[in-house]
Amino acid sequence: MNAMDLPIVVGVDGSEPSLRAVDWAADEAALRGLPLRLVYASLWERYEGDAVAHELGRPSEQVRAEDIVTAAARRAHRRRADLKVLTDSLPEEPEYALLRESRSAALLVTGTRGRGGMAEALLGSVSLTVAGHAHCPMVVVRGGHDDAVRPGGRIVVGVGEGAPVRFAFEEARLRGASVEAVRAWRSPARETTDHPLLAGEPARLHEQEAAQALDKALRGMPADVEVRRRVVEGHARTVLADASRAADLLIVGARRRPRHFGLQLGRVAHGVLHHSVCPVAVVPERDG
């Protein structure tokens, strides 16, 4: 399959958060002109929950894997009638299935949580595991407001290396949105001083270095995208979570480390996946 035709893959499990992820992914697939692939993976044959049972008008104990992807496909077609939708149900652990799917996807999309109790905690760990090891960019659809992919709006990107910045500009161009590029900085405690003539000098140095790193990361980005640069003192995960309140999408990176399996989620990505108000995209950053 040509790289331009790779699908957007959504991990579905029948829960309301996963159906909201279907909505978001359907909008994104329509923007990109790509097919949508809906994947349900589980070693359990039956589904126990309310969202899909309500969609199908049947008791939850009668809902099975094929019903889950069928209901998700109906939802996608209601959202975007002309969208090409593919479905699959796989009898395996969701982590392994979604990681394999990420090898041949343009984008991988999941919801935040699953079906309550231990299952809810399990799906949370699945999303984190997959976000830390996916081979393509992954979006975790978060937030209590309308998560629709809308024309215009604001894309916030936490600036570290280049890959998240490029992804942010691609998304902004698709949507006609602006980019808010954020670089957080902190002055180490050992550099602080109580002397009135020296106070603030270490902080200004770190702020200047952060501004230079931000300028370097944005060098060569398309000039037709509106950009706002922000250098903010504080923990990056807190700064970005705060910025997510006025964003349509928050983008962070995950770096592949030598002798480690796949991509590694650092504290920043881990933090914003838990606390962002809007959907979060985790973009692979490869060394070299």
Side-chain angles (χ1 to χ4, degrees):
M1 181 180 290
N2 188 289
M4 298 297 292
D5 298 324
L6 293 177
I8 292 179
V9 175
V10 189
V12 298
D13 69 349
S15 67
E16 184 57 35
S18 84
L19 293 177
R20 289 200 300 270
V22 170
D23 291 343
W24 191 96
D27 290 347
E28 183 76 11
L31 271 181
R32 293 181 178 220
L34 296 177
L36 186 67
R37 176 169 163 80
L38 308 173
V39 176
Y40 172 72
S42 177
L43 294 177
W44 297 95
E45 185 179 3
R46 289 186 178 178
Y47 165 80
E48 295 181 4
D50 296 324
V52 166
H54 179 75
E55 284 262 337
L56 297 173
R58 287 157 50 187
S60 61
E61 63 269 16
Q62 294 181 11
V63 175
R64 297 178 184 270
E66 292 79 6
D67 299 317
I68 292 173
V69 292
T70 298
R74 288 181 188 172
R75 178 108 168 198
H77 278 132
R78 284 202 301 270
R79 187 80 171 191
R80 298 285 181 171
D82 296 333
L83 200 61
K84 180 180 180 181
V85 178
L86 312 168
T87 63
D88 206 353
S89 56
L90 305 171
E92 60 183 306
E93 295 287 1
E95 298 99 320
Y96 302 126
L98 293 177
L99 286 175
R100 187 181 62 252
E101 291 285 332
S102 76
R103 293 181 178 274
S104 55
L107 188 67
L108 182 64
V109 182
T110 69
T112 50
R113 296 287 181 180
R115 299 187 288 269
M118 287 302 294
E120 178 175 318
L122 175 63
L123 191 67
S125 69
V126 168
S127 292
L128 286 172
T129 298
V130 176
H133 296 87
H135 296 271
C136 68
M138 175 178 173
V139 172
V140 178
V141 177
R142 293 192 52 88
H145 57 71
D146 179 14
D147 290 319
V149 176
R150 296 181 294 270
R154 179 184 296 174
I155 308 283
V156 173
V157 56
V159 174
E161 302 300 327
V165 173
R166 289 189 294 273
F167 185 84
F169 274 76
E170 290 168 4
E171 281 293 310
R173 285 180 122 179
L174 283 171
R175 305 180 187 202
S178 63
V179 170
E180 182 173 309
V182 180
R183 177 80 177 199
W185 64 274
R186 296 187 70 219
S187 180
R190 66 179 180 274
E191 293 186 18
T192 60
T193 177
D194 294 329
H195 194 290
L197 296 179
L198 298 178
E201 289 298 333
R204 279 196 290 272
L205 175 61
H206 288 285
E207 183 178 15
Q208 183 180 15
E209 290 175 345
Q212 291 171 347
L214 184 58
D215 288 341
K216 180 180 178 182
L218 294 175
R219 200 172 298 149
M221 290 298 113
D224 58 347
V225 174
E226 180 185 348
V227 184
R228 180 189 178 195
R229 293 167 165 82
R230 287 184 62 212
V231 177
V232 185
E233 182 179 10
H235 290 285
R237 57 188 181 275
T238 302
V239 168
L240 293 173
D242 288 344
S244 75
R245 299 179 186 281
D248 295 282
L249 180 65
L250 173 61
I251 301 170
V252 294
R255 177 168 292 284
R256 188 184 298 274
R257 296 191 178 103
R259 296 183 298 278
H260 284 73
F261 172 65
L263 301 171
Q264 309 299 309
L265 277 185
R267 285 178 294 180
V268 174
H270 191 277
V272 299
L273 282 171
H274 280 294
H275 300 295
S276 174
V277 177
C278 70
V280 177
V282 179
V283 180
E285 295 179 310
R286 293 178 174 83
D287 290 322

Coordinates of all heavy atoms in Angstrom, one line a residue, residues 96-180:
Y96 N -0.7 -5.8 21.7 CA 0.0 -6.4 20.5 C -0.7 -6.0 19.2 O 0.0 -5.8 18.2 CB 0.1 -7.9 20.7 CG 0.8 -8.3 22.0 CD1 0.2 -9.1 22.9 CD2 2.1 -7.7 22.4 CE1 0.8 -9.5 24.1 CE2 2.7 -8.1 23.5 CZ 2.1 -9.0 24.4 OH 2.7 -9.3 25.6
A97 N -2.0 -6.1 19.2 CA -2.7 -5.9 18.0 C -2.5 -4.4 17.5 O -2.2 -4.2 16.3 CB -4.2 -6.1 18.2
L98 N -2.6 -3.5 18.4 CA -2.5 -2.1 18.0 C -1.1 -1.7 17.6 O -0.9 -0.9 16.7 CB -3.0 -1.2 19.1 CG -4.6 -1.3 19.4 CD1 -5.0 -0.4 20.6 CD2 -5.4 -0.9 18.1
L99 N -0.1 -2.3 18.3 CA 1.3 -2.0 18.0 C 1.6 -2.5 16.6 O 2.2 -1.9 15.8 CB 2.2 -2.6 19.0 CG 2.3 -1.9 20.3 CD1 3.2 -2.6 21.3 CD2 2.8 -0.5 20.1
R100 N 1.0 -3.7 16.2 CA 1.2 -4.2 14.9 C 0.5 -3.3 13.9 O 1.1 -3.1 12.8 CB 0.7 -5.7 14.8 CG 1.0 -6.3 13.5 CD 0.5 -7.7 13.4 NE -0.9 -7.8 13.5 CZ -1.6 -8.2 14.5 NH1 -1.0 -8.7 15.6 NH2 -2.9 -8.2 14.5
E101 N -0.7 -2.9 14.2 CA -1.4 -2.0 13.3 C -0.7 -0.7 13.0 O -0.7 -0.2 11.9 CB -2.8 -1.7 13.9 CG -3.8 -2.9 13.9 CD -4.3 -3.3 12.6 OE1 -4.4 -2.4 11.7 OE2 -4.7 -4.4 12.4
S102 N 0.1 -0.2 14.0 CA 0.8 1.0 13.9 C 1.9 1.0 12.8 O 2.3 2.0 12.4 CB 1.3 1.5 15.2 OG 2.5 0.8 15.6
R103 N 2.3 -0.2 12.5 CA 3.3 -0.3 11.4 C 2.8 0.0 10.1 O 3.6 0.4 9.2 CB 3.9 -1.8 11.4 CG 4.7 -2.1 12.7 CD 5.2 -3.5 12.6 NE 6.0 -3.9 13.7 CZ 7.3 -3.7 13.9 NH1 8.0 -3.0 12.9 NH2 8.0 -4.0 15.0
S104 N 1.5 -0.1 9.9 CA 1.0 0.2 8.5 C -0.2 1.2 8.6 O -1.2 1.0 8.0 CB 0.5 -1.1 7.9 OG -0.4 -1.8 8.7
A105 N 0.0 2.2 9.5 CA -1.1 3.2 9.7 C -0.5 4.6 9.5 O 0.7 4.8 9.8 CB -1.7 3.1 11.1
A106 N -1.3 5.5 9.0 CA -0.9 6.9 9.0 C -1.0 7.5 10.4 O -0.2 8.4 10.7 CB -1.7 7.7 8.0
L107 N -1.9 7.1 11.1 CA -2.2 7.6 12.5 C -3.0 6.5 13.2 O -3.8 5.8 12.7 CB -3.1 8.9 12.3 CG -3.3 9.7 13.6 CD1 -2.0 10.3 14.1 CD2 -4.3 10.8 13.3
L108 N -2.7 6.4 14.5 CA -3.4 5.5 15.4 C -4.2 6.3 16.4 O -3.6 7.3 17.0 CB -2.4 4.6 16.1 CG -2.9 3.5 17.0 CD1 -3.8 2.5 16.3 CD2 -1.8 2.8 17.7
V109 N -5.4 6.0 16.6 CA -6.3 6.7 17.5 C -7.0 5.8 18.6 O -7.4 4.7 18.2 CB -7.4 7.5 16.7 CG1 -8.3 8.3 17.7 CG2 -6.8 8.3 15.6
T110 N -7.0 6.2 19.8 CA -7.7 5.5 20.9 C -8.4 6.5 21.7 O -8.2 7.7 21.7 CB -6.7 4.7 21.8 OG1 -6.0 5.6 22.6 CG2 -5.8 3.8 21.0
G111 N -9.3 6.0 22.6 CA -10.0 6.8 23.6 C -9.1 6.7 24.8 O -8.0 6.2 24.8
T112 N -9.6 7.2 25.9 CA -8.9 7.3 27.2 C -9.0 6.1 28.0 O -8.1 5.5 28.5 CB -9.2 8.6 28.0 OG1 -10.6 8.6 28.1 CG2 -8.7 9.8 27.3
R113 N -10.3 5.7 28.3 CA -10.6 4.7 29.3 C -11.5 3.7 28.7 O -12.2 3.9 27.7 CB -11.2 5.3 30.5 CG -10.2 6.3 31.3 CD -9.1 5.5 32.0 NE -8.2 6.4 32.7 CZ -7.2 6.0 33.4 NH1 -6.9 4.7 33.5 NH2 -6.4 6.8 34.0
G114 N -11.6 2.6 29.5 CA -12.5 1.5 29.0 C -13.8 1.4 29.8 O -14.4 2.4 30.1
R115 N -14.1 0.2 30.2 CA -15.5 -0.1 30.7 C -15.7 -0.2 32.2 O -16.4 -1.0 32.7 CB -15.9 -1.4 30.0 CG -15.9 -1.4 28.5 CD -16.5 -2.6 27.9 NE -15.7 -3.8 28.0 CZ -14.8 -4.1 27.1 NH1 -14.6 -3.4 26.0 NH2 -14.1 -5.2 27.3
G116 N -14.9 0.6 32.9 CA -15.2 0.6 34.4 C -14.4 -0.4 35.1 O -14.0 -1.5 34.6
G117 N -14.1 -0.1 36.4 CA -13.4 -1.1 37.3 C -12.1 -1.4 36.8 O -11.3 -0.6 36.3
M118 N -11.7 -2.7 36.9 CA -10.4 -3.2 36.5 C -10.2 -3.0 35.0 O -9.2 -2.8 34.5 CB -10.2 -4.6 36.9 CG -9.9 -4.8 38.4 SD -8.5 -3.9 38.9 CE -7.2 -4.8 38.1
A119 N -11.3 -3.2 34.2 CA -11.2 -3.0 32.8 C -10.9 -1.6 32.4 O -10.1 -1.4 31.5 CB -12.6 -3.4 32.1
E120 N -11.4 -0.6 33.2 CA -11.0 0.8 32.9 C -9.6 1.0 33.2 O -8.9 1.6 32.4 CB -11.9 1.7 33.8 CG -11.5 3.1 33.7 CD -12.5 4.0 34.5 OE1 -13.7 3.7 34.6 OE2 -12.0 5.0 35.1
A121 N -9.0 0.4 34.3 CA -7.6 0.6 34.5 C -6.8 -0.1 33.5 O -5.7 0.4 33.1 CB -7.3 0.0 35.9
L122 N -7.2 -1.2 33.0 CA -6.5 -2.0 32.0 C -6.4 -1.2 30.7 O -5.3 -1.1 30.1 CB -7.2 -3.3 31.7 CG -6.6 -4.2 30.6 CD1 -5.1 -4.6 30.9 CD2 -7.4 -5.4 30.3
L123 N -7.5 -0.6 30.2 CA -7.5 0.1 29.0 C -6.6 1.4 29.1 O -5.9 1.7 28.2 CB -8.9 0.5 28.5 CG -8.9 1.1 27.1 CD1 -8.5 0.0 26.1 CD2 -10.2 1.7 26.7
G124 N -6.6 2.0 30.3 CA -5.7 3.1 30.5 C -4.2 2.6 30.3 O -3.5 3.3 29.7
S125 N -3.9 1.5 30.8 CA -2.5 1.0 30.6 C -2.2 0.6 29.2 O -1.1 0.8 28.7 CB -2.2 -0.2 31.6 OG -3.0 -1.4 31.2
V126 N -3.3 0.1 28.5 CA -3.1 -0.2 27.1 C -2.8 1.1 26.3 O -1.8 1.1 25.5 CB -4.4 -0.9 26.5 CG1 -4.3 -0.9 25.0 CG2 -4.5 -2.3 27.1
S127 N -3.5 2.1 26.5 CA -3.3 3.4 25.8 C -1.9 3.9 26.1 O -1.2 4.3 25.2 CB -4.3 4.4 26.2 OG -5.6 4.1 25.7
L128 N -1.4 3.8 27.3 CA -0.1 4.3 27.7 C 1.0 3.4 27.0 O 2.0 3.9 26.5 CB 0.1 4.4 29.2 CG -0.6 5.5 29.9 CD1 -0.5 5.3 31.4 CD2 -0.1 6.8 29.5
T129 N 0.8 2.1 27.1 CA 1.7 1.2 26.5 C 1.9 1.4 25.0 O 3.0 1.5 24.4 CB 1.3 -0.3 26.7 OG1 1.3 -0.5 28.1 CG2 2.3 -1.2 26.0
V130 N 0.7 1.5 24.3 CA 0.8 1.7 22.8 C 1.3 3.1 22.5 O 2.1 3.2 21.5 CB -0.6 1.5 22.3 CG1 -0.7 1.8 20.8 CG2 -1.2 0.1 22.5
A131 N 1.0 4.1 23.2 CA 1.5 5.5 23.0 C 3.0 5.5 23.1 O 3.7 6.2 22.4 CB 0.9 6.5 23.9
G132 N 3.6 4.7 24.0 CA 5.0 4.7 24.2 C 5.8 3.8 23.2 O 7.0 3.9 23.2
H133 N 5.1 3.0 22.4 CA 5.8 2.1 21.5 C 5.3 2.1 20.1 O 5.8 1.4 19.2 CB 5.7 0.7 22.0 CG 6.3 0.4 23.4 ND1 5.6 0.7 24.6 CD2 7.5 0.0 23.7 CE1 6.5 0.4 25.6 NE2 7.6 0.0 25.1
A134 N 4.3 2.9 19.8 CA 3.7 3.0 18.4 C 4.7 3.4 17.4 O 5.6 4.2 17.7 CB 2.5 3.9 18.4
H135 N 4.6 2.9 16.2 CA 5.5 3.2 15.1 C 5.1 4.4 14.3 O 5.8 4.8 13.4 CB 5.7 2.0 14.2 CG 6.3 0.8 14.9 ND1 7.7 0.6 14.9 CD2 5.8 -0.2 15.6 CE1 8.0 -0.5 15.6 NE2 6.8 -1.0 16.0
C136 N 3.9 4.8 14.5 CA 3.3 6.0 13.8 C 2.8 7.0 14.9 O 2.7 6.6 16.1 CB 2.2 5.6 12.9 SG 0.7 5.0 13.7
P137 N 2.5 8.2 14.5 CA 1.9 9.1 15.5 C 0.6 8.5 16.0 O -0.2 7.8 15.3 CB 1.6 10.4 14.7 CG 2.6 10.3 13.6 CD 2.8 8.9 13.2
M138 N 0.3 8.8 17.3 CA -0.9 8.3 18.0 C -1.6 9.4 18.7 O -1.0 10.3 19.3 CB -0.5 7.2 19.0 CG -1.7 6.7 19.8 SD -1.2 5.4 21.0 CE -2.7 5.2 21.9
V139 N -2.9 9.4 18.5 CA -3.8 10.4 19.2 C -4.6 9.7 20.2 O -5.3 8.7 19.9 CB -4.6 11.2 18.2 CG1 -5.6 12.1 18.9 CG2 -3.8 12.0 17.3
V140 N -4.6 10.2 21.5 CA -5.5 9.8 22.5 C -6.5 10.9 22.7 O -6.2 12.0 23.0 CB -4.7 9.5 23.8 CG1 -5.7 9.1 24.9 CG2 -3.6 8.4 23.6
V141 N -7.8 10.5 22.4 CA -8.8 11.5 22.4 C -9.3 11.7 23.8 O -9.9 10.8 24.5 CB -10.0 11.1 21.5 CG1 -11.2 12.1 21.6 CG2 -9.5 10.9 20.1
R142 N -9.0 12.9 24.4 CA -9.3 13.2 25.7 C -10.3 14.4 25.7 O -10.5 15.0 24.7 CB -8.1 13.7 26.5 CG -7.1 12.6 26.8 CD -6.1 13.1 27.8 NE -6.7 13.7 28.9 CZ -7.1 12.9 30.0 NH1 -6.9 11.7 30.1 NH2 -7.8 13.5 31.0
G143 N -10.8 14.8 26.9 CA -11.5 16.0 27.0 C -13.0 15.8 27.2 O -13.6 14.9 26.5
G144 N -13.6 16.7 28.0 CA -15.1 16.6 28.1 C -15.8 17.5 27.2 O -17.1 17.4 27.1
H145 N -15.1 18.3 26.5 CA -15.8 19.2 25.5 C -15.9 18.5 24.2 O -15.6 17.3 24.0 CB -15.1 20.5 25.4 CG -13.7 20.4 25.0 ND1 -13.3 20.0 23.7 CD2 -12.5 20.6 25.7 CE1 -12.0 20.0 23.6 NE2 -11.5 20.3 24.8
D146 N -16.5 19.2 23.2 CA -16.6 18.6 21.8 C -15.2 18.5 21.2 O -14.5 19.4 21.0 CB -17.5 19.5 20.9 CG -17.6 19.0 19.5 OD1 -17.3 17.8 19.3 OD2 -18.0 19.8 18.7
D147 N -14.8 17.2 20.9 CA -13.5 16.9 20.4 C -13.5 16.9 18.9 O -12.6 16.3 18.3 CB -13.0 15.6 21.0 CG -12.7 15.7 22.5 OD1 -12.1 16.7 22.9 OD2 -13.0 14.7 23.2
A148 N -14.5 17.5 18.3 CA -14.5 17.4 16.8 C -13.3 18.1 16.2 O -12.8 19.1 16.7 CB -15.8 18.1 16.3
V149 N -12.8 17.5 15.1 CA -11.8 18.2 14.3 C -12.4 19.3 13.5 O -13.2 19.0 12.6 CB -11.1 17.2 13.4 CG1 -10.1 17.9 12.5 CG2 -10.4 16.1 14.2
R150 N -12.2 20.5 13.9 CA -12.8 21.7 13.2 C -11.8 22.4 12.4 O -10.7 22.5 12.7 CB -13.4 22.6 14.3 CG -14.5 22.0 15.1 CD -15.0 23.0 16.1 NE -14.0 23.3 17.1 CZ -13.8 22.7 18.2 NH1 -14.6 21.7 18.5 NH2 -12.9 23.0 19.1
P151 N -12.3 23.1 11.3 CA -11.5 24.0 10.6 C -11.1 25.1 11.5 O -11.8 25.6 12.4 CB -12.4 24.5 9.4 CG -13.4 23.5 9.3 CD -13.7 22.9 10.7
G152 N -9.8 25.7 11.3 CA -9.4 26.7 12.2 C -8.9 26.2 13.5 O -8.5 25.0 13.6
G153 N -8.9 27.0 14.5 CA -8.6 26.5 15.9 C -7.1 26.7 16.1 O -6.4 27.4 15.4
R154 N -6.7 26.0 17.2 CA -5.3 26.2 17.7 C -4.7 24.8 18.0 O -5.2 24.0 18.6 CB -5.3 27.0 19.0 CG -3.9 27.2 19.6 CD -3.9 27.9 20.9 NE -4.4 29.3 20.7 CZ -4.7 30.2 21.7 NH1 -4.5 29.8 22.9 NH2 -5.1 31.4 21.4
I155 N -3.5 24.6 17.4 CA -2.7 23.4 17.7 C -1.5 23.8 18.6 O -0.8 24.8 18.3 CB -2.0 22.9 16.4 CG1 -3.1 22.7 15.3 CG2 -1.2 21.6 16.6 CD1 -4.0 21.5 15.4
V156 N -1.4 23.2 19.7 CA -0.3 23.5 20.7 C 0.7 22.4 20.5 O 0.4 21.2 20.6 CB -0.8 23.6 22.1 CG1 0.4 23.7 23.1 CG2 -1.7 24.8 22.3
V157 N 2.0 22.7 20.4 CA 3.1 21.7 20.3 C 4.1 22.0 21.4 O 4.6 23.2 21.5 CB 3.7 21.6 18.9 CG1 4.2 23.0 18.4 CG2 4.7 20.6 18.8
G158 N 4.5 21.0 22.1 CA 5.6 21.1 23.1 C 6.9 20.9 22.3 O 7.1 19.9 21.7
V159 N 7.7 21.9 22.3 CA 8.9 21.9 21.4 C 10.1 21.2 22.1 O 10.6 21.7 23.1 CB 9.3 23.3 21.0 CG1 10.6 23.3 20.2 CG2 8.2 23.9 20.1
G160 N 10.5 20.1 21.5 CA 11.7 19.4 22.0 C 12.5 19.2 20.7 O 13.3 20.1 20.3
E161 N 12.3 18.1 20.0 CA 13.0 17.9 18.7 C 12.1 18.2 17.6 O 11.0 18.8 17.8 CB 13.4 16.4 18.7 CG 14.4 16.0 19.8 CD 15.6 16.8 19.9 OE1 16.1 17.2 18.8 OE2 16.1 17.1 21.0
G162 N 12.4 17.8 16.4 CA 11.7 18.3 15.2 C 10.4 17.6 14.8 O 9.5 18.2 14.3
A163 N 10.3 16.3 15.1 CA 9.2 15.5 14.6 C 7.8 16.1 15.1 O 6.9 16.2 14.3 CB 9.3 14.0 15.0
P164 N 7.6 16.4 16.4 CA 6.3 16.9 16.8 C 6.0 18.3 16.1 O 4.9 18.6 15.8 CB 6.5 17.1 18.3 CG 7.5 16.1 18.7 CD 8.5 16.1 17.5
V165 N 7.0 19.1 15.9 CA 6.8 20.4 15.2 C 6.3 20.2 13.8 O 5.4 20.8 13.3 CB 8.1 21.2 15.3 CG1 7.9 22.5 14.5 CG2 8.5 21.6 16.7
R166 N 7.0 19.3 13.1 CA 6.5 19.0 11.7 C 5.1 18.5 11.7 O 4.3 18.9 10.8 CB 7.5 18.0 11.0 CG 8.9 18.6 10.7 CD 9.7 17.7 9.8 NE 10.0 16.4 10.5 CZ 11.1 16.3 11.3 NH1 11.9 17.3 11.5 NH2 11.3 15.1 11.9
F167 N 4.8 17.6 12.6 CA 3.4 17.1 12.6 C 2.4 18.2 12.9 O 1.3 18.3 12.4 CB 3.3 16.0 13.7 CG 2.0 15.3 13.8 CD1 1.7 14.2 12.9 CD2 1.1 15.7 14.7 CE1 0.5 13.6 13.0 CE2 -0.2 15.1 14.8 CZ -0.4 14.0 13.9
A168 N 2.8 19.1 13.8 CA 1.9 20.2 14.2 C 1.6 21.1 13.0 O 0.5 21.5 12.8 CB 2.6 21.1 15.3
F169 N 2.6 21.4 12.2 CA 2.4 22.3 11.0 C 1.6 21.5 10.0 O 0.8 22.2 9.3 CB 3.8 22.7 10.5 CG 4.3 23.9 11.1 CD1 4.9 23.9 12.4 CD2 4.2 25.2 10.5 CE1 5.4 25.0 13.0 CE2 4.7 26.3 11.1 CZ 5.3 26.2 12.4
E170 N 1.8 20.2 9.8 CA 0.9 19.5 8.9 C -0.5 19.5 9.3 O -1.4 19.7 8.5 CB 1.4 18.0 8.9 CG 2.8 17.8 8.2 CD 3.3 16.4 8.4 OE1 2.6 15.6 9.0 OE2 4.5 16.2 8.0
E171 N -0.8 19.3 10.6 CA -2.2 19.4 11.1 C -2.7 20.8 11.0 O -3.9 20.9 10.6 CB -2.2 19.0 12.6 CG -2.1 17.5 12.8 CD -3.4 16.8 12.3 OE1 -4.5 17.2 12.7 OE2 -3.3 15.8 11.6
A172 N -1.9 21.8 11.2 CA -2.4 23.2 11.1 C -2.8 23.5 9.7 O -3.8 24.2 9.4 CB -1.4 24.1 11.6
R173 N -2.0 23.0 8.7 CA -2.3 23.3 7.3 C -3.6 22.6 6.9 O -4.4 23.1 6.2 CB -1.2 22.8 6.4 CG 0.0 23.7 6.5 CD 1.1 23.2 5.6 NE 1.5 24.2 4.6 CZ 2.4 24.0 3.6 NH1 3.1 22.9 3.6 NH2 2.7 25.0 2.8
L174 N -3.8 21.3 7.4 CA -5.0 20.6 7.1 C -6.3 21.4 7.6 O -7.3 21.4 6.9 CB -5.0 19.2 7.7 CG -4.1 18.1 7.0 CD1 -4.0 16.9 7.9 CD2 -4.7 17.8 5.6
R175 N -6.1 21.9 8.7 CA -7.3 22.5 9.4 C -7.4 24.0 9.2 O -8.4 24.6 9.5 CB -7.2 22.3 10.9 CG -7.1 20.8 11.3 CD -7.0 20.7 12.8 NE -6.7 19.4 13.2 CZ -7.0 18.9 14.4 NH1 -7.6 19.7 15.3 NH2 -6.7 17.7 14.8
G176 N -6.4 24.7 8.6 CA -6.4 26.1 8.5 C -6.2 26.7 9.9 O -6.8 27.8 10.2
A177 N -5.5 26.0 10.8 CA -5.3 26.4 12.2 C -4.0 27.1 12.4 O -3.1 27.2 11.6 CB -5.4 25.2 13.1
S178 N -3.9 27.7 13.6 CA -2.6 28.4 14.0 C -1.9 27.4 14.9 O -2.5 26.4 15.5 CB -2.9 29.7 14.8 OG -3.6 29.4 16.0
V179 N -0.6 27.6 15.0 CA 0.3 26.8 15.9 C 0.8 27.6 17.0 O 1.3 28.7 16.8 CB 1.5 26.2 15.1 CG1 2.5 25.6 16.0 CG2 1.0 25.2 14.0
E180 N 0.6 27.1 18.2 CA 1.3 27.7 19.4 C 2.4 26.8 19.8 O 2.2 25.7 20.3 CB 0.2 27.8 20.5 CG 0.8 28.5 21.8 CD -0.2 28.8 22.8 OE1 -1.3 29.4 22.5 OE2 0.0 28.4 24.0

